[in-house]
Every structure is written in C-alpha cells, then in structure tokens.
Amino acid sequence: MSAELHLPRYADRCISNVVPAIFGRTSLLPDVARTASQVVLLVLDGVGWNQLRTRREAAPVLWSMAGGPITSVAPTTTATALSSIVSGTRPAAHGVVGYRLRVPGDQVLNVLRWRTGEGDARTTVPPTAFRMQPAFGGRAGVPVVTRAEFASTGFTAAMGLDRLVGWQAASAIAVEVGSLLRDGDPFVYAYYDGVDKVAHAHGLGDHYDAELHATDRIVADVVAQLPRGAALVVTSDHGQVDVGDDVIELPEDVVSECSLLSGEGRFTWLHALPGRVDAVLALAQEAFGAPGLAEVLTRDEVVAAGWFGGPLSDDVAARLGDVAVVACAPVAFLDPADTGSAMLRCRHGSLTEDEMLVPLVAVGSPV
C-alpha cells in the first residue's frame, strides 16, 4: 500500500510558524495560548497526529487539549524539523535541509551527531558557521529544558541554544519547567524524545502505546506546574511510518553511478558522478518509480516544487544530492554508510500524511 505525498503548509499551519506565533500571539495558536501571560512550548519528538488520533485512549491529556493538526517540514526528519521550530523559519532559510548532508571534502555530515566518516566534525564543520538563522528570533536567554547530554553537541551549537537546563530523567522535565515559570520566564522551550526512540526500536505496537501513555503523564505533570495565566503548547517534529523489515537495498547499477549517498532511508539523495545525473535519474526511476513505491525527482524539481519553502543558496544546495528517492510506500532504502539504520522499525523523512501531520494543541493553567 502506498500513500500520497503532502507538501508542508509553510504559509500558515506549519511547525516553522509556531515560535513566531507564540511571540506574536497569532491565530495559529489555540485561543488559550493567545491570551496567556507565559507560554511553555513542549516538543514531543515523533508524536504524529495520525498516531495520536488512533491512540487517544493512551494519551487522554494530549487528546483533550484544544487544537488540531499542522504540518511538519521537508524532509520530516528531526534535524530539519527542530531547526525550523527553534528558528521559526523554513528549511530554505535555515539551511539544515536533512539528517545526513554533504559537506566540503565530499564527506557526509550526520547532523544530529555532528560526525562525518572521519569522526567528530565540530572543528572541520564549525556548527556556528553552519547555522543560518538565530534561535527564537534572536532572543537571547530563552531556557531550553532538554536532556543534559545535549549541552555539548554540535547540533545544539548549530541551533544557537545558549541557555540549556538539562535533565537526567524525564520526571525532571515538569520540575524544571515549573521552576522557570515561577522565576518569571515568559517563554520556556522543552523537548522530550522518548516516543521517537521507542518507535524506532519497536514500531507502532504495545511498546509505542506504553511510551505514549507515559509521555501523556509528563504532559499532565507540566500542566500541573502552570501558574495562573500560563499555557502549555504541545507540538512535534514529525510522525512515523512502521516499515518493519521492508528495507530495500539500492541496486548496484545505481550505486556505481554515484560518488556518495546522503539523506536517510525514506528520503535518500543520490550524488551522481560527474556527467552522470541523467543516467542516475533514469536508473533510479526504473528501480523505484513503480506506481506507489517512491517519487524520484531531481534536486531542481524538489526545490522548484517548494518542498523546502523557497529557493536555496548555492551553499545549501551543495549539501544535497542530484536525485531524490522519496518513499511513498511503507519502505526504506538502505544506505550501507548510514550505520544502524537497517535496525530501525519505524521511520520518517518522507512527506506522507503519517509523517507530515503533527499536533498543535494547548491547554491553560488549572483553575
């Protein structure tokens, strides 16, 4: 079974507009957040709208909140989506246009780990030089409640987060948020990635339901910390597709025409050898262009279709390959250099509804 691709709604209902909406109290937000004196934005990694909607009994607090679905960005991967949320801009503007991107020297940078095949890339690819947009509209000192180990990562530096409040266990999220609100911070950003981790490891089964239920308790604990007049806004970076064991190895005739591969399993970039773009495109279309399996497009076609929200600078365009293979069916394409990816059961990155739709919901302080 295949699924139709859905473009991000960059003009209105998109995660790239959430932080600007909070600062401007615009109509994108549910009413309870528009009138709040303080706002907490909690990003729950990997909680798609479709997965939440079909599991509302596991997440009664989230499901009872006001709001509805909005779209993620392209590709629907954490590196790109979190960069869009934090910067309040489209991928074309912030330049983090994927999870694994080509960088100078024909290396592939894993953005979340900030590593290439040669190891730690914080010196060879300086994170602050990679960043094209400031965090939170240039507002300094916004508290970011996240895992303590993220403090020293290249991706954190690339996003420009300058005030991290680290937690060791998820039970501390509500404690830290409550302390910051009582200290008078008008805006608090918080992040939790448990659902995404469980989905990657176990798929959309009992483990996922249990983790979603546990996450709903975290949400309830944060709500209990809200002072009078404050509101909690919850969104996500992407949804999930359970691909199981349907991982497709790229044919040798395609790989042999490429200098390297980048992207990820559901949004793979083929970097053609010099003069071989047309050949790679034809071979990829023959291999994957069967009805419903994948969309096979050139980089120029992807950009022209508005997937990244606008034109790309030459430097950002160089981070991508020449031909994109974007999954429509619940499958992933295997890049042997993407260590560990074959072990993931749930995936994301493509533009299907299950990956693209995420919640934007809110609730006010308890009466």
Side-chain angles (χ1 to χ4, degrees), residues 207-244:
H207 291 86
Y208 182 94
D209 293 349
E211 177 58 28
L212 182 61
H213 184 64
T215 300
D216 200 58
R217 288 309 310 262
I218 294 172
V219 173
D221 289 345
V222 173
V223 173
Q225 294 281 347
L226 297 175
R228 184 177 299 275
L232 170 65
V233 175
V234 179
T235 193
S236 182
D237 53 349
H238 56 73
Q240 305 276 359
V241 171
D242 195 331
V243 305

Side-chain angles (χ1 to χ4, degrees), residues 166 259 272 288 320:
S259 59
F288 310 121
L320 303 173

Side-chain angles (χ1 to χ4, degrees), residues 245-268:
D245 297 324
D246 289 330
V247 179
I248 300 173
E249 188 169 353
L250 297 174
E252 178 57 34
D253 63 345
V254 174
V255 175
S256 66
E257 296 282 359
C258 297
S259 59
L260 53 86
L261 308 174
S262 66
E264 55 193 287
R266 288 184 56 77
F267 198 124
T268 299

Side-chain angles (χ1 to χ4, degrees), residues 52-53 69 74 109 132 144 222 255 283 313 329 340 364:
L52 177 62
R53 178 175 54 82
L109 175 72
M132 297 174 61
V144 174
V222 173
V255 175
L283 289 167
S313 69

Side-chain angles (χ1 to χ4, degrees), residues 17-213:
N17 300 321
V18 171
V19 165
I22 290 172
F23 290 138
R25 297 297 197 267
T26 75
S27 60
L28 175 62
L29 300 177
D31 288 345
V32 68
R34 293 180 64 193
T35 59
S37 56
Q38 294 173 290
V39 173
V40 179
L41 175 60
L42 175 59
V43 177
L44 300 176
D45 196 317
V47 179
W49 175 260
N50 285 355
Q51 294 91 64
L52 177 62
R53 178 175 54 82
T54 57
R55 293 167 176 80
R56 60 190 74 179
E57 297 84 2
V61 177
L62 274 171
W63 189 252
S64 69
M65 294 167 68
I70 62 173
T71 72
S72 183
V73 295
T76 53
T77 190
T78 298
T80 304
L82 291 187
S83 297
S84 288
I85 293 173
V86 166
S87 70
T89 62
R90 305 173 183 188
H94 62 65
V96 184
V97 286
Y99 164 56
R100 297 171 63 249
L101 301 172
R102 181 167 68 180
V103 292
D106 270 349
Q107 294 287 309
V108 175
L109 175 72
N110 182 311
V111 174
L112 293 182
R113 296 181 176 87
W114 215 262
R115 296 180 66 85
T116 67
E118 296 179 348
D120 190 325
R122 284 176 291 180
T123 299
T124 56
V125 187
T128 54
F130 200 87
R131 182 177 75 236
M132 297 174 61
Q133 297 290 333
F136 307 120
R139 292 166 175 81
V142 171
V144 174
V145 180
T146 190
R147 288 185 182 271
E149 60 262 36
F150 293 164
S152 60
T153 68
F155 182 51
T156 293
M159 286 197 292
L161 306 180
D162 61 5
R163 185 186 170 194
L164 263 67
V165 180
W167 51 265
Q168 302 288 346
S171 58
I173 294 173
V175 176
E176 300 294 355
V177 168
S179 177
L180 291 163
L181 291 173
R182 287 189 295 274
D183 285 345
D185 280 286
F187 173 59
V188 177
Y189 176 94
Y191 171 76
Y192 178 63
D193 58 356
V195 171
D196 189 62
K197 287 177 176 290
V198 169
H200 284 317
H202 298 286
L204 299 176
D206 291 343
H207 291 86
Y208 182 94
D209 293 349
E211 177 58 28
L212 182 61
H213 184 64

Side-chain angles (χ1 to χ4, degrees), residues 5-6 38 116 136 182 246 276 278 317 346 353:
L5 299 187
H6 297 260
Q38 294 173 290
T116 67
F136 307 120
R182 287 189 295 274
D246 289 330
R276 302 300 292 166
D278 289 344
C346 268
E353 186 180 279

